[in-house]
């Protein structure tokens, strides 16, 4: 027998998710958090619908920031068509801040951004983090704590991580050894879905 979800249950879920988002900001002493926009993974970005009074229609907008103003949760959103940024407040009872699916996606985007910020700050302080292996040690598979799928164009090799660092323009990069060929590979851009593995690698090294 199917269970019908009531509007009250949807509303309660929305409030719970809003409180989770607010807690993430407060626990990290943040008034505002910029979400990481990965140009190569646009599907990870959260889009919400917002009413456009000028055209009397609903417009899809990209969430770029989440913040708090006097305990009022807000979203900064960007209209890719109009090229305009605007702010949506939870107190306005907007669909954008009450849709559970969007709120879950925003919360997950926040967790990714917070994880990335922690890694970037650590790398700024410590510089390159490396296993510092000898050529002989590189032949021992048991030495490598993390093997992860990385991307280089259409190539998606499994890489045994050896180094993590910041590029000159501040992007998170990784080097390692191809698990299939044994070839040393370098200069991989680290995407959001690899943050957890890279974070564990850093934790193993320090």
């Amino acid at each position: 027998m199917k269970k019908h979800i009531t509007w009250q249950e949807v509303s309660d879920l929305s409030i719970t998710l809003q409180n989770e988002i607010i807690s993430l900001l407060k626990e990290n002493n943040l008034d505002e958090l910029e979400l990481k926009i990965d140009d190569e993974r646009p599907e990870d970005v959260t889009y919400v619908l917002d009413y456009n009074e000028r055209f009397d229609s609903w417009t899809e907008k990209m969430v770029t920031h989440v913040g708090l103003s006097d305990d009022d949760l807000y979203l900064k959103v960007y209209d890719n068509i109009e090229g305009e940024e605007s702010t949506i407040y939870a107190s306005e009872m907007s669909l954008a801040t009450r849709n559970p699916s969007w709120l879950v996606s925003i919360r997950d985007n926040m967790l990714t951004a917070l994880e990335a910020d922690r890694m970037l700050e650590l790398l700024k302080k410590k510089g390159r983090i490396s296993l510092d292996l000898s050529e002989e040690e590189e032949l021992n598979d048991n030495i490598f704590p993390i093997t992860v799928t990385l991307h280089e164009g259409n190539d998606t090799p499994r890489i045994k991580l050896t180094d993590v660092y910041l590029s000159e323009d501040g992007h998170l990069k990784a080097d390692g050894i191809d698990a299939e060929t044994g070839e040393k590979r370098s200069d991989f851009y680290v995407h959001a879905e690899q943050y957890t593995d890279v974070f564990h690698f850093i934790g193993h090294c320090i």
Side-chain angles (χ1 to χ4, degrees):
M1 182 177 178
K2 292 183 178 179
K3 183 182 184 300
H4 295 286
I5 299 175
T6 67
W7 282 111
Q8 185 59 52
E9 289 174 319
V10 173
S11 177
D12 290 344
L13 178 58
S14 296
I15 292 172
T16 298
L17 290 166
Q18 287 178 4
N19 288 335
E20 286 184 20
I21 290 171
I22 290 171
S23 294
L24 279 174
L25 290 168
K26 290 185 174 180
E27 288 168 5
N28 289 278
N29 299 312
L30 295 171
D31 293 323
E32 183 176 278
L33 175 65
E34 180 180 1
L35 304 182
K36 305 300 180 186
I37 308 300
D38 189 338
D39 293 335
E40 297 194 26
R41 292 191 61 82
E43 68 273 17
D44 292 338
V45 177
T46 300
Y47 285 88
V48 299
L49 289 177
D50 187 36
Y51 183 67
N52 188 321
E53 292 184 2
R54 187 192 310 171
F55 299 105
D56 189 26
S57 63
W58 291 89
T59 304
E60 190 177 62
K61 298 180 180 180
M62 177 175 64
V63 181
T64 60
H65 299 72
V66 181
L68 274 178
S69 177
D70 295 326
D71 283 333
D72 190 3
L73 177 68
Y74 67 81
L75 308 176
K76 284 186 178 178
V77 296
Y78 184 75
D79 186 332
N80 289 322
I81 297 175
E82 295 293 317
E84 296 176 348
E85 185 178 79
S86 56
T87 303
I88 305 171
Y89 290 89
S91 59
E92 298 169 349
M93 303 295 286
S94 167
L95 177 64
T97 60
R98 297 188 63 79
N99 182 295
S101 179
W102 297 339
L103 290 172
V104 167
S105 182
I106 291 167
R107 181 198 60 193
D108 291 347
N109 290 159
M110 291 177 68
L111 291 170
T112 297
L114 289 167
E115 192 171 56
D117 286 344
R118 286 193 289 269
M119 284 191 291
L120 293 176
E121 285 302 314
L122 188 60
L123 289 168
K124 285 176 183 177
K125 291 179 182 178
K126 294 185 172 293
R128 178 184 287 260
I129 293 178
S130 175
L131 290 177
D132 289 324
L133 300 178
S134 66
E135 290 188 7
E136 183 177 348
E137 288 173 326
E138 288 176 355
L139 300 176
N140 183 355
D141 283 340
N142 295 323
I143 286 180
F144 299 93
I146 297 293
T147 301
V148 60
T149 300
L150 296 175
H151 306 282
E152 189 174 64
N154 294 324
D155 189 17
T156 56
R158 293 283 292 169
I159 298 296
K160 297 181 287 187
L161 291 180
T162 60
D163 298 81
V164 175
Y165 53 95
L166 293 180
S167 64
E168 291 184 0
D169 53 1
H171 287 117
L172 186 60
K173 293 290 190 75
D175 297 349
I177 296 175
D178 191 308
E180 182 177 351
T181 66
E183 176 190 1
K184 291 184 180 180
R185 305 283 297 272
S186 63
D187 207 35
F188 284 99
Y189 181 84
V190 177
H191 297 280
E193 76 268 22
Q194 293 129 13
Y195 284 169
T196 299
D197 285 325
V198 170
F199 201 61
H200 288 161
F201 174 82
I202 292 173
H204 175 86
C205 293
I206 61 175

